Amino acid sequence: MVVSLAQIRERSGEVFTEGCPTRVVLDHIMSKWGVLVLLALTDGTHRWGELRREVEGISEKMLASTLRTLEADGLVARTSYPEVPPRVEYSLTERGHELMERMLPLVEWVAREAGDIVAR
Amino acid sequence: MVVSLAQIRERSGEVFTEGCPTRVVLDHIMSKWGVLVLLALTDGTHRWGELRREVEGISEKMLASTLRTLEADGLVARTSYPEVPPRVEYSLTERGHELMERMLPLVEWVAREAGDIVAR
DNA sequence: CAGCATCCGGGATGATACTG
DNA sequence: CAGTATCATCCCGGATGCTG
């Protein structure tokens, strides 16, 4: 599938306009922690504590905030089990999987090129 | 081409580790203004003033800063013409085009879904 | 026209303590 | 275990003024 910038402009209306929905969603999923949390969830369901350990350097506050935003966007599903001690699991929704289908090739390319890029 | 998270982990070493090159590059290209500047350059060469007008809301400071970062990463080429008044043009490098090849499908999807997502 | 230097305010982010 | 609440901090990013 060939995608042109013109198509993006047409479909999204105004990608370059302040406050347009596209900018808002981009800010969520392409934020420093948003990408890493989504990536961590790509290989399956994870518990809160697992995410905290997996996404190195994230604070509890930012993990909570990031997860709430992604959940509100319908990209991440939160499942709480009424047990003691509490157990909460996070996973990608259908929409989240669609997103990551598009984001993985990008991240893969960056991961491959990053060494060369920062070494300059 | 199928890309798995496992492949990313293998190739990049430690995507989730603090300070790894992948995180640095992701921060550059997925920053608020980085994405928009790269998008604007996807349909060809642009002058400084054009970019300033096209990427609505960006300040001169952030435009300059963003362009310098992307240029240092080898994603954007800067061409200065010794004229009066000065003329400077920016365009994607080969590597920049490779990047946008992967980013456009993602942005296109976001542009298409953004309305539904923020409307919730 | 295409920038750079400087100042500065506020939101983003981190650290810590606490709770159901 | 899975968060929330609070406070402290930092640096992103805007505004302004100036220059080649």
Side-chain angles (χ1 to χ4, degrees):
Chain A
M1 176 189 188
V2 178
V3 182
S4 72
L5 186 62
Q7 283 179 296
I8 292 178
R9 287 186 207 271
E10 282 171 25
R11 298 192 194 188
S12 70
E14 303 292 337
V15 187
F16 296 102
T17 303
E18 294 186 76
C20 79
T22 304
R23 278 204 190 182
V24 175
V25 177
L26 282 177
D27 278 350
H28 294 175
I29 65 172
M30 303 185 99
S31 69
K32 175 180 172 64
W33 299 119
V35 188
L36 296 174
V37 168
L38 286 168
L39 268 180
L41 290 175
T42 297
D43 60 359
T45 298
H46 285 277
R47 300 182 57 168
W48 163 274
E50 291 173 347
L51 289 173
R52 198 160 114 68
R53 266 172 279 116
E54 180 134 18
V55 182
E56 191 172 304
I58 196 171
S59 66
E60 294 186 348
K61 178 179 175 179
M62 288 317 296
L63 179 56
S65 161
T66 302
L67 284 171
R68 266 190 274 113
T69 300
L70 296 177
E71 193 193 352
D73 287 347
L75 299 168
V76 166
R78 177 184 185 278
T79 312
S80 165
Y81 298 88
E83 308 171 351
V84 178
R87 180 164 58 102
V88 179
E89 295 187 340
Y90 294 91
S91 59
L92 293 184
T93 62
E94 184 58 36
R95 173 180 269 157
H97 279 293
E98 280 183 32
L99 167 65
M100 294 315 288
E101 220 170 277
R102 273 96 178 165
M103 196 186 287
L104 277 177
L106 172 61
V107 176
E108 192 271 342
W109 182 86
V110 172
R112 190 150 29 84
E113 300 284 323
D116 283 356
I117 291 180
V118 296
R120 332 174 92 243
Chain B
M1 176 188 189
V2 178
V3 182
S4 72
L5 187 62
Q7 283 180 297
I8 291 179
R9 287 188 208 270
E10 282 172 24
R11 299 192 194 186
S12 69
E14 303 293 336
V15 187
F16 296 102
T17 302
E18 292 187 79
C20 80
T22 304
R23 278 203 189 183
V24 175
V25 177
L26 282 176
D27 277 349
H28 294 175
I29 65 172
M30 303 185 98
S31 69
K32 175 180 172 64
W33 299 119
V35 188
L36 296 174
V37 168
L38 286 168
L39 268 180
L41 290 175
T42 298
D43 60 359
T45 298
H46 285 277
R47 297 185 57 170
W48 163 273
E50 292 173 347
L51 289 173
R52 198 159 111 67
R53 265 172 281 116
E54 180 134 17
V55 183
E56 190 172 305
I58 195 170
S59 66
E60 295 186 347
K61 177 180 175 178
M62 289 316 296
L63 179 55
S65 160
T66 302
L67 284 171
R68 265 189 276 112
T69 300
L70 295 177
E71 193 193 352
D73 287 346
L75 299 167
V76 166
R78 177 185 185 277
T79 312
S80 166
Y81 298 88
E83 306 172 352
V84 177
R87 180 164 57 103
V88 180
E89 295 187 339
Y90 295 90
S91 59
L92 292 184
T93 61
E94 184 59 33
R95 173 180 270 160
H97 280 292
E98 279 182 32
L99 168 66
M100 294 315 288
E101 219 170 279
R102 272 96 178 165
M103 196 187 288
L104 277 179
L106 171 61
V107 176
E108 193 270 343
W109 182 87
V110 172
R112 191 152 28 86
E113 300 283 325
D116 283 356
I117 291 179
V118 297
R120 330 174 93 243

